[in-house]
Amino acid sequence: MSPRNRFGVWILAVLVGLVPFGCRDSGPSEVQTTGRKMTDAELEALRLAPMKVLLVGTTAWSEELKLQFEGRSGTNVSVTAMDAEEWANSSNEVLDAFDVLIVPPDRLASLVAADKLLKFPEAMLEKLGHNSWYAIDRRIGRVDQSVYGISLGTPLATVLTHPSAIGGDSEGMTVPETWSDWQAAAELDRENQRPLRWVEPMSDFHPAYSLLLRAASMAKSQSQSDVFYSRIDGEPRLTSPPFVKAMEDLLATYGPNASELKKLSAADLIAQVQAGTIQGALVPLPRLDDVSIGVSNLKPLPPPGSARFYNYFDKSWTNRSAGVLRTQVVGLSGQLVGVLRRTRKSEAAFRLVELLVSSPTAEAFAPLADQVLISRPEQWSNASQWAGRQYSVDATDKIREIFNLANDDVLGGAEIFPSLPGNRARLQALTNAVWQVLENGQEPLAALEECQRTWIEIGKQHRPFDPLTLFHQFK
């Protein structure tokens, strides 16, 4: 056989797979096949299929969402309402069945790490005026400088006071500006054998929020936001001096009154402030639905802060500059909206996001869900007209005043509670620790050590998305 013919045979052998390259594999070879082309009927069925939305919230909110979206869009929507406990126990695989998530922010970072969420296009953020939103709202859904979730209202705390409290009382006790002042007011009330005049809600997770607020106020600055977790090893810092001091302050403030305060909700305290039976209450921002119990007549003030901060670098306490108090913790609850990466309905999903954050739809949702607020300046242009059907203009103006105050970046900034799977369990453990100290007399450090061990175990259950991994990648 001539060289030319031999070369031709070799080429033919390669083409039909008779002469494999590299190592010989005795197993069956995989045959690549082209996917079946969808028929016109299948494509039409896909187009008409409803967009699937997961909502951690009420059925009333899901029904309103469906009504609002389908009334303004050619796309049908199917909304699944889920409570917080079911959300906490849902796997990422369960979430893959949806196109849009309207959920707490506690799993944002881990969903991004697992490549589950689409990044919001810059053009859409510009269309929504995202850069003009409050800085806290902008930060809540951002990971590694990219936006993967849109905040639907950031729950912050404010002090609502009765008009008689402004300017000081007959005993010279002015509105508390620091946690030490808040504690001194409680001690003065007990000395005079009268009910406490400055109170925080103590039902549900509020004891945990109170402890976190106090600890966060003792952080050095916004650039050192590691009061909750160490950036060196990712371990919780619940046994660090700010947390121990915060627990001691809670014990001194409320310990003798713990049993009578345990069931008090934010709504209970707002009603008492309005009635004048207490002078002030530290509560989450009231929603429009709360104005019926008199928020419009109350004066909003910033939460207390700390005159001293703890520096984790040199392990020392330092006095703050005058007037600079860290007061807020955000990211504990509230809602944000994200778009799943695997969706075939991305265009409709982004239209839904735009609807959720725009007037007048956002105002319609506000009374239906906890911690969903009218939080954008552009929403307020229509708020009084919309809310006037149920609430007075004075009431809506008061809610705007409260929200503007709580989001004022000049007040000293805010600590972002890390977005971590299992945060609901962490808050429950912290709440239990507070009651172990206030009701059962456990030493603050011992209760915090026990809680820290629980937090570490919760973190192990959700690896590889432990705090340190998320901090280094996304913070």
Side-chain angles (χ1 to χ4, degrees), residues 364-445:
F365 294 146
L368 299 175
D370 290 338
Q371 307 301 356
V372 177
L373 307 164
I374 302 178
S375 58
R376 323 273 186 249
E378 63 272 17
Q379 292 172 356
W380 281 105
S381 60
N382 295 330
S384 295
Q385 179 182 1
W386 167 79
R389 296 196 299 266
Q390 301 178 58
Y391 313 110
S392 69
V393 173
D394 289 344
T396 55
D397 286 345
K398 180 59 64 174
I399 299 295
R400 178 186 350 209
E401 179 186 355
I402 292 171
F403 199 86
N404 286 340
L405 172 68
N407 279 277
D408 188 347
D409 297 329
V410 181
L411 289 177
E415 286 287 352
I416 298 291
F417 192 66
S419 295
L420 296 173
N423 269 352
R424 184 175 175 83
R426 289 181 179 88
L427 292 175
Q428 184 62 66
L430 202 57
T431 298
N432 295 343
V434 171
W435 289 119
Q436 283 295 327
V437 172
L438 266 60
E439 283 192 311
N440 301 332
Q442 188 172 8
E443 288 295 321
L445 180 57

Side-chain angles (χ1 to χ4, degrees), residues 257-449:
N257 304 86
S259 59
E260 63 193 74
L261 297 176
K262 190 168 187 178
K263 295 183 180 180
L264 281 179
S265 67
D268 295 332
L269 293 183
I270 293 174
Q272 288 190 35
V273 176
Q274 175 61 21
T277 55
I278 62 176
Q279 288 192 283
L282 176 63
V283 294
L285 287 188
R287 298 173 295 121
L288 285 174
D289 211 29
D290 296 324
V291 297
S292 59
I293 54 176
V295 170
S296 59
N297 299 323
L298 305 180
K299 175 69 176 176
L301 295 169
S306 174
R308 292 166 62 81
F309 68 85
Y310 183 77
N311 191 328
Y312 284 97
F313 295 111
D314 61 15
K315 313 296 183 186
S316 65
W317 290 91
T318 306
N319 291 330
R320 288 197 186 279
S321 301
V324 178
L325 303 172
R326 297 192 61 78
T327 60
Q328 299 287 9
V329 179
V330 299
L332 294 171
S333 54
Q335 301 280 62
L336 57 75
V337 55
V339 178
L340 269 294
R341 176 173 286 278
R342 293 183 181 181
T343 179
R344 292 176 177 264
K345 302 269 185 180
S346 58
E347 182 179 349
F350 286 127
R351 284 204 308 270
L352 177 63
V353 174
E354 185 177 357
L355 182 72
L356 281 167
V357 301
S358 302
S359 292
T361 309
E363 294 96 314
F365 294 146
L368 299 175
D370 290 338
Q371 307 301 356
V372 177
L373 307 164
I374 302 178
S375 58
R376 323 273 186 249
E378 63 272 17
Q379 292 172 356
W380 281 105
S381 60
N382 295 330
S384 295
Q385 179 182 1
W386 167 79
R389 296 196 299 266
Q390 301 178 58
Y391 313 110
S392 69
V393 173
D394 289 344
T396 55
D397 286 345
K398 180 59 64 174
I399 299 295
R400 178 186 350 209
E401 179 186 355
I402 292 171
F403 199 86
N404 286 340
L405 172 68
N407 279 277
D408 188 347
D409 297 329
V410 181
L411 289 177
E415 286 287 352
I416 298 291
F417 192 66
S419 295
L420 296 173
N423 269 352
R424 184 175 175 83
R426 289 181 179 88
L427 292 175
Q428 184 62 66
L430 202 57
T431 298
N432 295 343
V434 171
W435 289 119
Q436 283 295 327
V437 172
L438 266 60
E439 283 192 311
N440 301 332
Q442 188 172 8
E443 288 295 321
L445 180 57
L448 289 169
E449 286 174 340

Side-chain angles (χ1 to χ4, degrees), residues 82 112 126 129 162 170 187 211 218 225 246-247 249 256 270 293 304 309 316 330 345 351 358 417 428 454 457 472:
M82 180 182 289
V112 174
E126 291 177 8
H162 192 271
S170 58
E187 293 172 348
L211 189 68
M218 302 175 204
S225 56
M247 186 71 90
D249 288 352
I270 293 174
I293 54 176
F309 68 85
S316 65
V330 299
K345 302 269 185 180
R351 284 204 308 270
S358 302
F417 192 66
Q428 184 62 66
T454 302
E457 287 303 313
H472 284 317

